[in-house]
Protein backbone atom coordinates (compact mmCIF):
# COMPACT_ATOMS: atom_id res chain seq x y z
CA UNK A 1 0.00 0.00 0.00
CA UNK A 2 2.69 2.50 0.98
CA UNK A 3 4.77 1.70 -2.12
CA UNK A 4 1.69 2.27 -4.28
CA UNK A 5 1.23 5.66 -2.59
CA UNK A 6 4.90 6.40 -3.30
CA UNK A 7 4.30 5.64 -6.97
CA UNK A 8 1.21 7.88 -7.20
CA UNK A 9 2.90 10.78 -5.40
CA UNK A 10 6.01 10.38 -7.56
CA UNK A 11 3.97 10.52 -10.78
CA UNK A 12 2.01 13.59 -9.64
CA UNK A 13 5.17 15.34 -8.44
CA UNK A 14 7.06 14.57 -11.66
CA UNK A 15 4.15 15.86 -13.76
CA UNK A 16 3.89 19.11 -11.84
CA UNK A 17 7.66 19.56 -11.86
CA UNK A 18 7.68 19.40 -15.67
CA UNK A 19 4.31 20.84 -16.70
CA UNK A 20 3.03 22.89 -13.73
CA UNK A 21 6.02 24.51 -11.98
CA UNK A 22 3.81 26.87 -9.97
CA UNK A 23 2.01 23.89 -8.45
CA UNK A 24 5.14 21.84 -7.90
CA UNK A 25 5.99 23.87 -4.81
CA UNK A 26 2.72 22.85 -3.16
CA UNK A 27 3.49 19.20 -3.92
CA UNK A 28 7.07 19.65 -2.73
CA UNK A 29 5.88 21.32 0.48
CA UNK A 30 3.28 18.84 1.68
CA UNK A 31 3.65 15.48 -0.11
CA UNK A 32 6.38 14.22 2.22
CA UNK A 33 4.50 14.66 5.47
CA UNK A 34 1.26 13.37 3.94
CA UNK A 35 3.13 10.18 3.07
CA UNK A 36 4.52 10.27 6.59
CA UNK A 37 0.99 10.27 8.01
CA UNK A 38 0.12 7.29 5.80
CA UNK A 39 3.26 5.45 6.91
CA UNK A 40 2.49 6.14 10.57
CA UNK A 41 -1.03 4.77 10.07
CA UNK A 42 0.56 1.53 8.86
CA UNK A 43 3.05 1.47 11.78
CA UNK A 44 5.96 2.04 9.41
CA UNK A 45 9.07 4.11 9.93
CA UNK A 46 8.74 7.05 7.49
CA UNK A 47 12.53 7.26 7.22
CA UNK A 48 13.07 3.58 6.49
CA UNK A 49 10.53 1.96 4.17
CA UNK A 50 11.88 -1.22 2.70
CA UNK A 51 11.91 -1.57 -1.08
CA UNK A 52 14.01 -4.64 -1.72
CA UNK A 53 17.63 -3.98 -0.68
CA UNK A 54 17.10 -0.21 -0.48
CA UNK A 55 15.51 1.79 2.31
CA UNK A 56 13.28 4.65 1.12
CA UNK A 57 12.19 7.86 2.83
CA UNK A 58 8.92 9.69 2.42
CA UNK A 59 10.78 12.57 0.78
CA UNK A 60 12.12 10.38 -2.04
CA UNK A 61 9.21 10.78 -4.55
CA UNK A 62 9.52 14.57 -4.49
CA UNK A 63 13.32 14.37 -4.56
CA UNK A 64 13.17 12.23 -7.69
CA UNK A 65 10.58 14.57 -9.22
CA UNK A 66 12.87 17.51 -8.45
CA UNK A 67 15.72 15.83 -10.34
CA UNK A 68 13.40 15.08 -13.27
CA UNK A 69 12.21 18.69 -13.31
CA UNK A 70 15.80 19.99 -13.32
CA UNK A 71 16.72 17.79 -16.29
CA UNK A 72 13.50 18.65 -18.16
CA UNK A 73 13.75 22.42 -17.80
CA UNK A 74 17.52 22.34 -18.24
CA UNK A 75 17.02 20.61 -21.58
CA UNK A 76 14.36 23.10 -22.61
CA UNK A 77 16.16 26.26 -21.52
CA UNK A 78 19.80 25.34 -21.24
CA UNK A 79 21.99 25.27 -18.14
CA UNK A 80 23.91 28.31 -19.36
CA UNK A 81 21.14 30.50 -17.96
CA UNK A 82 22.29 29.52 -14.46
CA UNK A 83 25.32 31.78 -14.75
CA UNK A 84 23.15 34.90 -14.77
CA UNK A 85 21.27 34.24 -11.52
CA UNK A 86 22.23 35.08 -7.91
CA UNK A 87 24.33 32.38 -6.27
CA UNK A 88 23.94 29.90 -9.14
CA UNK A 89 27.66 29.68 -9.94
CA UNK A 90 28.38 28.85 -6.31
CA UNK A 91 25.63 26.21 -6.39
CA UNK A 92 27.23 24.60 -9.42
CA UNK A 93 30.56 24.47 -7.58
CA UNK A 94 28.81 22.81 -4.63
CA UNK A 95 27.23 20.19 -6.89
CA UNK A 96 30.49 19.54 -8.73
CA UNK A 97 32.26 19.00 -5.42
CA UNK A 98 29.54 16.65 -4.14
CA UNK A 99 29.55 14.74 -7.45
CA UNK A 100 33.30 14.16 -7.12
CA UNK A 101 32.78 12.89 -3.57
CA UNK A 102 30.02 10.53 -4.75
CA UNK A 103 32.36 9.10 -7.40
CA UNK A 104 35.10 8.66 -4.80
CA UNK A 105 32.64 6.86 -2.53
CA UNK A 106 31.87 4.47 -5.40
CA UNK A 107 35.53 3.82 -6.11
CA UNK A 108 37.09 3.75 -2.65
CA UNK A 109 34.20 3.31 -0.23
CA UNK A 110 34.75 1.20 2.86
CA UNK A 111 32.78 -1.94 3.57
CA UNK A 112 30.50 -0.11 5.99
CA UNK A 113 28.77 1.88 3.23
CA UNK A 114 27.30 -1.29 1.76
CA UNK A 115 24.94 -1.56 4.75
CA UNK A 116 21.99 -0.76 2.47
CA UNK A 117 21.97 -4.38 1.38
CA UNK A 118 23.24 -3.95 -2.19
CA UNK A 119 25.79 -6.62 -2.96
CA UNK A 120 27.64 -4.65 -5.63
CA UNK A 121 30.17 -2.53 -3.76
CA UNK A 122 30.28 0.39 -6.22
CA UNK A 123 26.50 0.59 -6.54
CA UNK A 124 26.11 0.31 -2.78
CA UNK A 125 28.58 3.14 -2.28
CA UNK A 126 26.73 5.31 -4.81
CA UNK A 127 23.36 4.70 -3.16
CA UNK A 128 24.75 5.47 0.29
CA UNK A 129 26.52 8.64 -0.89
CA UNK A 130 23.55 9.94 -2.89
CA UNK A 131 21.29 9.21 0.06
CA UNK A 132 23.46 11.34 2.33
CA UNK A 133 23.42 14.21 -0.18
CA UNK A 134 19.64 13.88 -0.42
CA UNK A 135 19.22 14.00 3.34
CA UNK A 136 21.50 16.97 3.96
CA UNK A 137 21.41 19.16 0.85
CA UNK A 138 17.96 18.86 -0.70
CA UNK A 139 17.36 22.46 0.36
CA UNK A 140 20.29 23.58 -1.80
CA UNK A 141 19.16 21.54 -4.82
CA UNK A 142 15.68 23.06 -5.09
CA UNK A 143 16.96 26.56 -6.10
CA UNK A 144 18.42 25.11 -9.31
CA UNK A 145 14.93 23.99 -10.32
CA UNK A 146 13.54 27.43 -9.43
CA UNK A 147 16.10 29.11 -11.70
CA UNK A 148 15.64 26.74 -14.63
CA UNK A 149 11.83 26.95 -14.44
CA UNK A 150 11.81 30.72 -13.84
CA UNK A 151 10.26 31.56 -17.22
CA UNK A 152 7.18 29.55 -16.20
CA UNK A 153 6.96 30.83 -12.62
CA UNK A 154 4.63 33.68 -11.73
CA UNK A 155 4.17 34.86 -8.18
CA UNK A 156 0.52 35.69 -8.85
CA UNK A 157 -0.10 32.07 -9.85
CA UNK A 158 1.33 30.71 -6.60
CA UNK A 159 -1.57 31.97 -4.50
CA UNK A 160 -3.63 28.80 -4.72
CA UNK A 161 -0.67 26.38 -4.55
CA UNK A 162 0.56 28.03 -1.35
CA UNK A 163 -2.96 28.19 0.08
CA UNK A 164 -3.51 24.49 -0.66
CA UNK A 165 -0.16 23.55 0.91
CA UNK A 166 -0.98 25.58 4.02
CA UNK A 167 -4.42 23.98 4.20
CA UNK A 168 -2.92 20.49 3.95
CA UNK A 169 -0.43 21.17 6.75
CA UNK A 170 -3.14 22.69 8.96
CA UNK A 171 -5.38 19.68 8.28
CA UNK A 172 -2.65 17.25 9.33
CA UNK A 173 -2.04 19.31 12.48
CA UNK A 174 -5.76 19.23 13.31
CA UNK A 175 -5.89 15.44 12.83
CA UNK A 176 -2.91 14.92 15.12
CA UNK A 177 -4.39 17.22 17.77
CA UNK A 178 -7.70 15.34 17.59
CA UNK A 179 -5.93 11.99 17.97
CA UNK A 180 -3.65 13.07 20.83
CA UNK A 181 -6.15 15.33 22.58
CA UNK A 182 -3.47 18.02 23.01
CA UNK A 183 -1.34 20.35 20.91
CA UNK A 184 1.90 19.22 22.57
CA UNK A 185 3.10 17.21 25.53
CA UNK A 186 4.36 18.83 28.71
CA UNK A 187 7.99 18.24 27.76
CA UNK A 188 7.39 19.52 24.23
CA UNK A 189 8.77 16.40 22.58
CA UNK A 190 5.39 15.34 21.15
CA UNK A 191 3.95 18.06 18.92
CA UNK A 192 1.18 18.45 16.35
CA UNK A 193 3.76 19.43 13.73
CA UNK A 194 7.36 18.38 13.26
CA UNK A 195 9.95 21.13 13.07
CA UNK A 196 10.31 21.02 9.27
CA UNK A 197 6.53 21.06 8.81
CA UNK A 198 6.20 24.02 11.18
CA UNK A 199 8.90 26.00 9.39
CA UNK A 200 7.37 25.30 5.97
CA UNK A 201 4.06 26.54 7.37
CA UNK A 202 5.76 29.67 8.72
CA UNK A 203 7.52 30.46 5.44
CA UNK A 204 4.43 29.98 3.27
CA UNK A 205 2.23 31.74 5.81
CA UNK A 206 4.53 34.73 5.85
CA UNK A 207 4.53 35.08 2.05
CA UNK A 208 0.85 34.36 1.34
CA UNK A 209 -0.63 37.66 2.69
CA UNK A 210 1.47 39.64 0.22
CA UNK A 211 0.40 37.77 -2.91
CA UNK A 212 -2.36 38.80 -5.26
CA UNK A 213 -4.10 42.02 -6.14
CA UNK A 214 -6.82 43.83 -4.24
CA UNK A 215 -10.16 42.10 -4.01
CA UNK A 216 -12.58 40.40 -1.63
CA UNK A 217 -10.41 37.29 -1.41
CA UNK A 218 -7.37 39.19 -0.26
CA UNK A 219 -8.62 39.47 3.31
CA UNK A 220 -9.11 35.71 3.42
CA UNK A 221 -5.55 35.18 2.12
CA UNK A 222 -4.15 37.46 4.79
CA UNK A 223 -6.15 35.69 7.48
CA UNK A 224 -4.96 32.27 6.28
CA UNK A 225 -1.36 33.47 6.27
CA UNK A 226 -1.60 34.90 9.78
CA UNK A 227 -3.22 31.68 11.04
CA UNK A 228 -0.44 29.65 9.44
CA UNK A 229 2.28 31.70 11.15
CA UNK A 230 0.45 31.51 14.50
CA UNK A 231 0.07 27.72 14.27
CA UNK A 232 3.73 27.37 13.29
CA UNK A 233 4.79 29.30 16.40
CA UNK A 234 2.38 27.35 18.61
CA UNK A 235 3.83 24.09 17.32
CA UNK A 236 6.40 24.52 20.10
CA UNK A 237 9.58 24.05 18.07
CA UNK A 238 12.58 26.00 19.31
CA UNK A 239 14.23 26.08 15.89
CA UNK A 240 11.12 27.70 14.41
CA UNK A 241 11.04 30.23 17.26
CA UNK A 242 14.64 31.18 16.57
CA UNK A 243 13.98 31.50 12.85
CA UNK A 244 10.83 33.56 13.43
CA UNK A 245 12.66 35.93 15.79
CA UNK A 246 15.47 36.48 13.28
CA UNK A 247 12.96 37.01 10.47
CA UNK A 248 10.93 39.51 12.51
CA UNK A 249 14.09 41.36 13.55
CA UNK A 250 15.21 41.60 9.90
CA UNK A 251 11.81 42.94 8.86
CA UNK A 252 11.76 45.50 11.65
CA UNK A 253 15.26 46.75 10.80
CA UNK A 254 14.29 47.25 7.16
CA UNK A 255 11.24 49.23 8.23
CA UNK A 256 13.19 51.36 10.71
CA UNK A 257 15.86 52.22 8.12
CA UNK A 258 13.16 53.14 5.60
CA UNK A 259 13.98 50.45 3.03
CA UNK A 260 10.39 49.31 2.71
CA UNK A 261 6.95 50.73 3.46
CA UNK A 262 3.99 48.74 4.72
CA UNK A 263 1.31 51.01 3.32
CA UNK A 264 0.81 54.37 1.64
CA UNK A 265 -1.28 55.44 4.62
CA UNK A 266 0.96 56.81 7.37
CA UNK A 267 -1.45 55.74 10.12
CA UNK A 268 -1.57 52.18 8.79
CA UNK A 269 2.24 52.11 8.52
CA UNK A 270 2.53 53.24 12.12
CA UNK A 271 0.09 50.58 13.34
CA UNK A 272 1.88 47.81 11.44
CA UNK A 273 5.26 48.94 12.75
CA UNK A 274 3.98 49.04 16.33
CA UNK A 275 2.42 45.57 15.95
CA UNK A 276 5.63 44.04 14.59
CA UNK A 277 7.69 45.78 17.27
CA UNK A 278 5.35 44.57 20.02
CA UNK A 279 5.44 40.99 18.73
CA UNK A 280 9.24 41.04 18.51
CA UNK A 281 9.65 42.57 21.97
CA UNK A 282 7.27 40.02 23.51
CA UNK A 283 9.08 37.19 21.76
CA UNK A 284 12.46 38.37 23.00
CA UNK A 285 11.06 38.91 26.49
CA UNK A 286 9.70 35.37 26.60
CA UNK A 287 13.02 34.00 25.32
CA UNK A 288 15.21 35.84 27.80
CA UNK A 289 12.88 36.12 30.79
CA UNK A 290 11.06 32.81 30.64
CA UNK A 291 7.32 32.65 31.24
CA UNK A 292 6.80 36.38 32.10
CA UNK A 293 5.37 35.37 35.46
CA UNK A 294 2.60 33.19 33.99
CA UNK A 295 3.28 30.03 35.95
CA UNK A 296 0.30 28.14 34.55
CA UNK A 297 1.47 28.95 31.03
CA UNK A 298 4.90 27.56 31.75
CA UNK A 299 3.60 24.46 33.55
CA UNK A 300 1.13 23.58 30.82
CA UNK A 301 3.58 23.83 27.93
CA UNK A 302 7.05 23.42 29.37
CA UNK A 303 8.03 26.47 27.34
CA UNK A 304 10.22 27.90 30.09
CA UNK A 305 12.35 24.75 30.16
CA UNK A 306 12.53 24.50 26.38
CA UNK A 307 13.68 28.10 26.01
CA UNK A 308 16.77 27.27 28.03
CA UNK A 309 18.15 25.78 24.81
CA UNK A 310 18.45 29.36 23.52
CA UNK A 311 19.12 31.34 26.69
CA UNK A 312 21.19 28.92 28.80
CA UNK A 313 21.99 25.65 26.97
CA UNK A 314 24.06 24.33 29.88
CA UNK A 315 20.89 24.04 31.98
CA UNK A 316 18.94 22.22 29.28
CA UNK A 317 19.91 18.51 29.04
CA UNK A 318 18.70 18.27 25.43
CA UNK A 319 20.61 21.37 24.30
CA UNK A 320 23.74 20.33 26.20
CA UNK A 321 23.55 16.88 24.60
CA UNK A 322 23.28 18.42 21.12
CA UNK A 323 26.26 20.64 21.72
CA UNK A 324 28.26 17.59 22.81
CA UNK A 325 27.15 15.81 19.63
CA UNK A 326 28.27 18.75 17.47
CA UNK A 327 31.64 18.88 19.19
CA UNK A 328 32.16 15.14 18.80
CA UNK A 329 31.18 15.16 15.11
CA UNK A 330 33.51 18.08 14.35
CA UNK A 331 36.41 16.39 16.17
CA UNK A 332 35.65 13.11 14.40
CA UNK A 333 36.40 14.69 11.02
CA UNK A 334 40.04 14.75 12.14
CA UNK A 335 42.57 15.07 9.33
CA UNK A 336 39.78 15.48 6.77
CA UNK A 337 39.02 19.01 7.99
CA UNK A 338 39.59 20.54 4.53
CA UNK A 339 37.49 18.18 2.36
CA UNK A 340 35.33 16.33 4.89
CA UNK A 341 34.82 12.65 5.45
CA UNK A 342 33.81 10.10 2.87
CA UNK A 343 30.17 10.29 1.81
CA UNK A 344 27.99 7.35 2.79
CA UNK A 345 30.24 6.23 5.62
CA UNK A 346 28.00 7.11 8.56
CA UNK A 347 30.15 6.35 11.54
CA UNK A 348 29.11 5.91 15.13
CA UNK A 349 29.94 8.80 17.44
CA UNK A 350 30.70 8.59 21.13
CA UNK A 351 28.60 11.20 22.95
CA UNK A 352 29.30 11.00 26.64
CA UNK A 353 29.14 7.28 27.31
CA UNK A 354 26.81 6.37 24.42
CA UNK A 355 27.57 5.47 20.82
CA UNK A 356 25.05 7.13 18.50
CA UNK A 357 24.40 7.16 14.74
CA UNK A 358 21.87 9.93 14.31
CA UNK A 359 21.68 13.20 12.31
CA UNK A 360 23.80 16.10 13.50
CA UNK A 361 20.86 18.41 14.27
CA UNK A 362 22.86 21.27 12.75
CA UNK A 363 23.22 22.07 9.05
CA UNK A 364 26.56 23.80 9.53
CA UNK A 365 28.10 20.87 11.40
CA UNK A 366 26.76 18.50 8.73
CA UNK A 367 28.26 20.63 5.95
CA UNK A 368 31.65 20.66 7.68
CA UNK A 369 31.53 16.94 8.34
CA UNK A 370 30.66 16.03 4.74
CA UNK A 371 32.70 18.65 2.90
CA UNK A 372 35.11 20.25 5.36
CA UNK A 373 35.98 23.93 5.34
CA UNK A 374 35.80 23.99 1.53
CA UNK A 375 32.12 23.04 1.33
CA UNK A 376 31.22 25.09 4.40
CA UNK A 377 32.80 28.15 2.78
CA UNK A 378 30.85 27.56 -0.45
CA UNK A 379 27.55 27.20 1.41
CA UNK A 380 28.14 30.39 3.39
CA UNK A 381 29.07 32.19 0.17
CA UNK A 382 25.86 30.98 -1.47
CA UNK A 383 23.59 32.32 1.27
CA UNK A 384 25.65 35.51 1.23
CA UNK A 385 25.11 35.87 -2.53
CA UNK A 386 21.34 35.60 -2.08
CA UNK A 387 21.40 38.19 0.72
CA UNK A 388 23.64 40.52 -1.31
CA UNK A 389 21.22 40.36 -4.26
CA UNK A 390 18.29 41.23 -2.00
CA UNK A 391 20.20 44.13 -0.39
CA UNK A 392 21.17 45.44 -3.84
CA UNK A 393 17.52 45.47 -4.92
CA UNK A 394 16.49 47.22 -1.72
CA UNK A 395 19.14 49.92 -2.21
CA UNK A 396 17.72 50.57 -5.67
CA UNK A 397 14.39 51.53 -4.09
CA UNK A 398 14.51 55.31 -3.74
CA UNK A 399 12.03 56.35 -2.47
CA UNK A 400 11.12 53.11 -0.63
CA UNK A 401 9.09 50.77 -2.81
CA UNK A 402 5.95 48.91 -1.91
CA UNK A 403 7.32 45.84 -3.64
CA UNK A 404 7.99 43.15 -1.05
CA UNK A 405 10.09 40.63 -2.95
CA UNK A 406 13.59 41.64 -1.73
CA UNK A 407 12.30 42.24 1.79
CA UNK A 408 10.62 38.85 1.95
CA UNK A 409 13.72 37.22 0.48
CA UNK A 410 15.90 38.64 3.26
CA UNK A 411 13.40 37.59 5.92
CA UNK A 412 13.23 34.05 4.51
CA UNK A 413 17.04 33.85 4.40
CA UNK A 414 17.22 34.93 8.06
CA UNK A 415 14.55 32.39 9.08
CA UNK A 416 16.29 29.61 7.15
CA UNK A 417 19.70 30.30 8.65
CA UNK A 418 18.25 30.45 12.17
CA UNK A 419 16.34 27.19 11.73
CA UNK A 420 19.47 25.49 10.37
CA UNK A 421 21.16 25.77 13.77
CA UNK A 422 19.07 22.81 14.90
CA UNK A 423 18.28 20.96 11.64
CA UNK A 424 19.27 20.74 7.97
CA UNK A 425 18.73 23.68 5.63
CA UNK A 426 14.95 23.96 5.03
CA UNK A 427 14.07 22.33 1.74
CA UNK A 428 11.93 25.21 0.51
CA UNK A 429 13.73 28.20 2.08
CA UNK A 430 16.49 28.92 -0.45
CA UNK A 431 14.18 28.11 -3.38
CA UNK A 432 11.50 30.51 -2.13
CA UNK A 433 14.06 33.29 -1.63
CA UNK A 434 15.41 32.64 -5.14
CA UNK A 435 11.95 32.87 -6.68
CA UNK A 436 11.33 36.21 -4.97
CA UNK A 437 14.66 37.56 -6.21
CA UNK A 438 14.12 36.30 -9.76
CA UNK A 439 10.75 38.04 -9.89
CA UNK A 440 12.42 41.39 -9.20
CA UNK A 441 14.93 41.19 -12.04
CA UNK A 442 14.60 43.64 -14.91
CA UNK A 443 13.18 47.21 -14.87
CA UNK A 444 12.83 49.25 -11.67
CA UNK A 445 10.14 48.04 -9.32
CA UNK A 446 6.71 49.52 -9.96
CA UNK A 447 3.83 50.53 -7.74
CA UNK A 448 0.12 50.69 -8.40
CA UNK A 449 0.23 54.49 -8.56
CA UNK A 450 3.06 54.86 -11.08
CA UNK A 451 2.54 51.74 -13.19
CA UNK A 452 0.42 53.25 -15.95
CA UNK A 453 2.50 56.47 -16.15
CA UNK A 454 5.85 54.67 -16.32
CA UNK A 455 4.48 52.13 -18.77
CA UNK A 456 3.60 54.98 -21.13
CA UNK A 457 7.10 56.42 -20.70
CA UNK A 458 8.95 53.17 -21.33
CA UNK A 459 6.76 51.61 -24.00
CA UNK A 460 7.67 52.36 -27.63
CA UNK A 461 4.89 52.95 -30.19
CA UNK A 462 2.76 49.86 -30.66
CA UNK A 463 4.32 48.21 -27.64
CA UNK A 464 4.11 44.47 -27.73
CA UNK A 465 3.25 42.17 -24.88
CA UNK A 466 6.16 41.29 -22.55
CA UNK A 467 8.51 38.67 -23.86
CA UNK A 468 7.89 35.13 -22.54
CA UNK A 469 11.56 35.06 -21.53
CA UNK A 470 10.89 37.48 -18.68
CA UNK A 471 10.58 35.86 -15.31
CA UNK A 472 7.25 36.17 -13.54
CA UNK A 473 5.64 39.22 -12.05
CA UNK A 474 7.56 42.40 -11.32
CA UNK A 475 5.62 43.45 -8.24
CA UNK A 476 4.12 42.03 -5.12
CA UNK A 477 1.77 44.46 -3.48
CA UNK A 478 0.58 44.81 0.07
Amino acid sequence: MILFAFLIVGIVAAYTACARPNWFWATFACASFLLGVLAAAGNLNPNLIEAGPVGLRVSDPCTLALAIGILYHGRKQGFRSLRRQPGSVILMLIYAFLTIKIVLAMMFGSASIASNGIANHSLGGAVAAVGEVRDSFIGLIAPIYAILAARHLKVSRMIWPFAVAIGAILLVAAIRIAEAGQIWSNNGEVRCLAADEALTLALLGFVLPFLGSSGPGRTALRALGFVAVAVAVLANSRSVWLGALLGAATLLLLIVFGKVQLSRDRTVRTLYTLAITLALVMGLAIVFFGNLGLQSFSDSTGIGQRLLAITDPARDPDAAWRQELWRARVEQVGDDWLWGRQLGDRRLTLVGTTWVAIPNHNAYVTTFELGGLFLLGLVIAYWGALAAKAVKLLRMNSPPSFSWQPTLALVIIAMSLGYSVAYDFPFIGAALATILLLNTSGPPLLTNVTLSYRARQWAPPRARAPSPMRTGDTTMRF
Side-chain angles (χ1 to χ4, degrees):
M1 177 63 182
I2 188 65
L3 294 179
F4 178 74
F6 267 55
L7 178 62
I8 296 299
V9 170
I11 292 174
V12 172
Y15 171 76
T16 56
C18 296
R20 296 290 185 270
N22 294 300
W23 277 95
F24 174 70
W25 301 106
T27 307
F28 195 53
C30 59
S32 297
F33 67 82
L34 289 176
L35 284 174
V37 171
L38 184 61
N43 293 322
L44 298 175
N45 182 356
N47 293 322
L48 184 59
I49 298 175
E50 299 293 339
V54 180
L56 300 177
R57 296 195 175 194
V58 292
S59 61
D60 285 343
C62 287
T63 302
L64 179 60
L66 181 66
I68 293 173
I70 289 174
L71 294 175
Y72 177 82
H73 292 287
R75 177 186 62 85
K76 297 282 287 186
Q77 183 173 335
F79 287 93
R80 288 178 295 179
S81 62
L82 294 174
R83 294 179 297 180
R84 301 190 296 268
Q85 306 305 335
S88 56
V89 174
I90 301 175
L91 280 180
M92 298 309 295
L93 290 175
I94 292 174
Y95 300 147
F97 176 75
L98 292 175
T99 300
I100 292 173
K101 296 211 67 173
I102 290 173
V103 173
L104 292 176
M106 293 173 59
M107 297 174 60
F108 307 109
S110 62
S112 62
I113 66 174
S115 59
N116 49 37
I118 297 178
N120 183 280
H121 182 78
S122 297
L123 182 58
V127 170
V130 170
E132 202 156 33
V133 171
R134 167 205 63 188
D135 295 343
S136 304
F137 298 107
I138 185 65
L140 300 184
I141 297 175
I144 288 292
Y145 173 81
I147 294 172
L148 292 175
R151 60 186 299 182
H152 304 290
L153 294 174
K154 288 184 178 293
V155 172
S156 61
R157 295 180 183 175
M158 294 183 185
I159 299 173
W160 279 111
F162 285 179
V164 169
I166 289 173
I169 298 175
L170 292 177
L171 177 61
V172 169
I175 293 174
R176 290 172 178 168
I177 292 172
E179 290 179 348
Q182 57 184 357
I183 299 178
W184 51 65
S185 61
N186 289 338
N187 60 7
E189 294 303 321
V190 178
R191 302 181 290 272
C192 62
L193 289 174
D196 57 341
E197 299 166 358
L199 185 72
T200 300
L201 190 63
L203 294 175
L204 297 182
F206 197 93
V207 172
L208 187 62
F210 307 104
L211 299 183
S213 57
S214 59
R218 193 169 183 183
T219 301
L221 289 177
R222 288 180 179 176
L224 181 60
F226 294 149
V227 168
V229 174
V231 172
V233 172
L234 291 174
N236 207 12
S237 177
R238 292 167 292 192
S239 54
V240 177
W241 294 342
L242 180 59
L245 285 174
L246 291 177
T250 301
L251 175 58
L252 187 59
L253 284 175
L254 292 175
I255 295 172
V256 169
F257 285 102
K259 294 301 181 182
V260 68
Q261 293 183 4
L262 295 167
S263 172
R264 296 180 178 85
D265 189 311
R266 180 175 296 180
T267 303
V268 175
R269 290 202 304 267
T270 303
L271 290 175
Y272 275 127
T273 304
L274 289 175
I276 295 172
T277 304
L278 180 62
L280 180 60
V281 170
M282 289 185 63
L284 291 173
I286 291 175
V287 168
F288 290 103
F289 301 104
N291 55 23
L292 296 179
L294 301 177
Q295 190 64 35
S296 60
F297 179 68
S298 179
D299 289 344
S300 62
T301 63
I303 190 172
Q305 176 66 30
R306 289 177 60 75
L307 283 172
L308 290 175
I310 301 175
T311 59
D312 191 358
R315 294 176 54 198
D316 179 17
D318 182 57
W321 179 85
R322 290 195 187 196
Q323 288 186 340
E324 180 66 17
L325 174 65
W326 301 341
R327 183 194 61 78
R329 288 281 165 85
V330 169
E331 290 179 349
Q332 193 167 285
V333 173
D335 295 335
D336 298 325
W337 58 270
L338 184 59
W339 310 109
R341 67 165 172 80
Q342 179 178 272
L343 289 182
D345 190 5
R346 305 189 185 195
R347 307 167 187 172
L348 294 175
T349 301
L350 181 62
V351 181
T353 59
T354 306
W355 291 94
V356 298
I358 61 174
N360 289 328
H361 288 287
N362 188 303
Y364 310 105
V365 172
T366 298
T367 302
F368 176 75
E369 183 184 6
L370 300 185
L373 286 180
F374 182 79
L375 184 59
L376 182 61
L378 287 177
V379 169
I380 293 174
Y382 166 69
W383 285 106
L386 287 184
K389 175 67 173 180
V391 170
K392 179 180 178 181
L393 291 170
L394 282 171
R395 296 176 70 177
M396 292 169 56
N397 294 342
S398 181
S401 171
F402 292 91
S403 177
W404 273 75
Q405 288 98 311
T407 300
L408 286 176
L410 274 179
V411 171
I412 289 170
I413 291 169
M415 294 178 67
S416 300
L417 294 178
Y419 172 83
S420 302
V421 172
Y423 293 99
D424 293 321
F425 295 112
F427 64 87
I428 202 172
L432 193 53
T434 300
I435 292 171
L436 293 170
L437 294 177
L438 289 175
N439 276 274
T440 54
S441 301
L445 303 177
L446 308 181
T447 66
N448 285 334
V449 176
T450 61
L451 177 59
S452 59
Y453 172 72
R454 293 188 182 179
R456 288 196 300 269
Q457 280 189 321
W458 293 340
R462 297 182 181 181
R464 296 183 178 181
S467 168
M469 290 300 292
R470 291 186 58 184
T471 58
D473 301 336
T474 58
T475 60
M476 186 185 301
R477 305 177 182 88
F478 184 81

